Amino acid sequence: MTIDMIPGSSGRIDAGDDKKITYFSNKYVLGLTVVAGIGGLLFGYDTGVISGALLYIRDDFEAVDQSSFLQETIVSMALLGAMIGAAAGGWLNDVQGRKSATLIADVIFALGSSVMAAAPDPYVLIFGRLLVGLGVGVASVTAPMYIAEAAPSEIRGGLVSTNVLMITGGQFLSYLVNLGFTQVHGTWRWMLGIAAVPAILQFALMMFLPESPRWLYKNKSSSEAIATLSKIYDPDRLNDELQHLSAALEEERRGRNSVRYRDVFRIKEIRLAFMAGAGLQAFQQFTGINTVMYYSPTIVQMAGFGSNELALQLSLIVALMNAAGTVVGIYLIDHVGRRKLALSSLTGVIVSLVLLSVAFFLESSGHTNIGWVAVLGLVLYISSFAPGMGPVPWTVNSEIYSESYRGTCGGMAATVNWVSNLIVAQSFLSVADAVGTGTTFAILAVIAVAAVFFVLMFVPETKGLTFEEVERLWRERARGRGNGSEKALLEDNET
Ligand code: BGC
């Protein structure tokens, strides 16, 4: 194994093909990923379950049935909670560590689910949704980061994307559970309450897992960090990893010690990284994934499949396709890279949004038998989005920030994701009412075109790079290669 330290080179570890760790070869890291990914499962489940549960909540509470405001609040309170949870979760991760953040999220999840299951009135239910949302927000930042920090760089994308598979799997599961509990006494209480089980399970399993080795090394005990890293790497590679880690932390120590939010915008390399990460998060939502998921029953009905039940079953298929597509993404993200994957995903998304737009235009101008165009658009959309724009933003955000800013910036970018999610969810129907569904899908297509340019201009390729190489990449982008970079960095830090 060699470390290429030629000046100006990336200094990457050349592990040699025989030493490369593969997705399935390190059971310890894979196990850790799956346990951390229960956070993703809860994210997917808690955001997916409400549409089905709401039908039965309306049956039980007349006030909810009669007020669309209450219905909207029950749905969107979790998004509001997630926004706050993501912002606070970033900070919590940096200060308390990734393991503690996961445990805290589990307590909030379990509490929120129990409150909802026992809710005597809609207001207690709304409070429970807020709690669960807080948990979702914290988990959305913590799980990718915890996984990325334990992952060998050559499989990091696939492992972080496994958390996204747990999200899409959680959404699928929530639809299944919704179907399963329709005949059970207490319907929605079960649907919402059962989410306490994975939270408790994750809490118990996390007790056997270590704190993130990178966080430990920086903040607490290097010997504990080394003990964990030695379970992941063989002795040669371990030495290399430790050398890189201590060099990177030394470099950071020469800069600022305390993390300040305004530095995210003032120090150029942090700003560039944050723009790339937050932009990807915003584009993930503004290209319409959640509206397409939400609209899938309507699209299917438009194709001539009349019954509600059939439409629901078909949207189960859409959710299954989304999860299956994520599996493809897990493979591709470390093979073709983040940029190519995002770009090809966006290309498919653009074509499918145009198809959907055309289908709705034709339908509104009285054409019949064009439902199949819409279904084709839907199928193409999910199969394009799921492997790329689903996992890429979460992966990139888990790996582009420096040690000190990983939590803070990751949390802020996740907040951007949740705010964008809420904006799209709240405005889609009124925009569609005002300008028509066809135009609305056309607007989403234009946004997806903008996303292509954004990725081309602002998102670097981070496939296979170590965290230290990624840091160097931003320094080079901010300052240009070679001389002057240290000086400029210090000047920035003095202001
Ligand atoms: C997004 C979610 C979305 C899910 C569906 C995730 O990556 O963050 O908002 O619902 O993908 O595929």
Side-chain angles (χ1 to χ4, degrees), residues 43 164 167-168 171 284-285 289-290 322 385 390 394 417 421:
F43 167 167
V164 180
I167 300 176
T168 49
Q171 288 174 331
Q284 181 196 63
Q285 294 301 319
I289 175 62
N290 289 309
N322 197 16
F385 180 92
W394 293 112
N417 181 297
N421 188 334

Side-chain angles (χ1 to χ4, degrees), residues 81 83 86 99 140 155 183 191 237 248 262 273 283 286 299 316 324 338 341 370 406 443-444 485 494:
M83 261 177 231
K99 181 173 172 173
S140 70
I155 52 168
Q183 306 302 331
M191 293 170 180
R237 176 89 181 258
R262 64 192 162 113
F283 278 119
F286 280 106
I299 294 168
L316 196 70
R338 287 59 164 152
L341 189 55
I370 39 85
R406 194 163 297 132
I443 295 173
L444 293 178
S485 61
E494 276 154 19

Side-chain angles (χ1 to χ4, degrees), residues 272 275-276 339 453-460 474 477:
L272 288 178
M275 259 176 56
R339 262 166 68 91
F453 287 105
F454 176 83
V455 173
L456 285 173
M457 281 159 58
F458 296 109
V459 181
W474 289 118
R477 280 204 167 195

Side-chain angles (χ1 to χ4, degrees), residues 165-406:
L165 175 62
M166 303 284 270
I167 300 176
T168 49
Q171 288 174 331
F172 174 68
L173 193 70
S174 73
Y175 295 168
L176 264 188
V177 168
N178 276 353
L179 277 176
F181 280 121
T182 48
Q183 306 302 331
V184 179
H185 180 69
T187 48
W188 61 270
R189 295 185 187 276
W190 283 104
M191 293 170 180
L192 300 177
I194 202 136
V197 176
I200 294 168
L201 182 71
Q202 187 184 45
F203 189 97
L205 292 173
M206 275 308 283
M207 291 298 176
F208 298 97
L209 287 175
E211 179 48 88
S212 154
R214 298 186 77 92
W215 187 87
L216 272 179
Y217 199 95
K218 176 167 185 284
N219 297 285
K220 239 175 145 190
S221 139
S222 56
S223 58
E224 273 180 60
I226 295 170
T228 304
L229 288 170
S230 64
K231 291 188 190 151
I232 304 171
Y233 301 109
D234 66 28
D236 273 0
R237 176 89 181 258
L238 177 65
N239 264 339
D240 292 339
E241 294 286 337
L242 287 173
Q243 261 182 37
H244 281 282
L245 181 56
S246 67
L249 291 180
E250 188 45 45
E251 175 117 17
E252 278 197 33
R253 262 178 219 126
R254 278 192 276 131
R256 274 206 193 294
N257 271 325
S258 58
V259 172
R260 297 193 311 199
Y261 279 92
R262 64 192 162 113
D263 287 344
V264 173
F265 301 99
R266 287 210 323 197
I267 298 178
K268 195 170 176 192
E269 47 264 50
I270 308 181
R271 184 171 70 236
L272 288 178
F274 179 68
M275 259 176 56
L280 273 176
Q281 293 286 30
F283 278 119
Q284 181 196 63
Q285 294 301 319
F286 280 106
T287 44
I289 175 62
N290 289 309
T291 51
V292 171
M293 298 275 283
Y294 173 76
Y295 245 57
S296 62
T298 316
I299 294 168
V300 167
Q301 280 183 339
M302 201 180 126
F305 303 101
S307 86
N308 271 346
E309 211 187 337
L310 192 61
L312 277 179
Q313 283 163 1
L314 287 169
S315 53
L316 196 70
I317 296 178
V318 171
L320 187 62
M321 280 178 58
N322 197 16
T326 321
V327 177
V328 179
I330 290 177
Y331 173 79
L332 290 178
I333 200 161
D334 290 318
H335 288 86
V336 305
R338 287 59 164 152
R339 262 166 68 91
K340 270 195 200 137
L341 189 55
L343 290 171
S344 42
S345 170
L346 283 166
T347 309
V349 162
I350 294 167
V351 174
S352 37
L353 286 169
V354 170
L355 278 179
L356 283 166
S357 169
V358 168
F360 277 94
F361 268 127
L362 290 177
E363 196 213 32
S364 64
S365 53
H367 285 74
T368 47
N369 291 332
I370 39 85
W372 64 272
V373 182
V375 171
L376 187 69
L378 180 65
V379 169
L380 187 65
Y381 183 97
I382 293 294
S383 19
S384 311
F385 180 92
M389 281 309 279
V392 170
W394 293 112
T395 302
V396 168
N397 273 283
S398 73
E399 64 190 10
I400 52 168
Y401 306 116
S402 62
E403 225 46 59
S404 314
Y405 281 85
R406 194 163 297 132

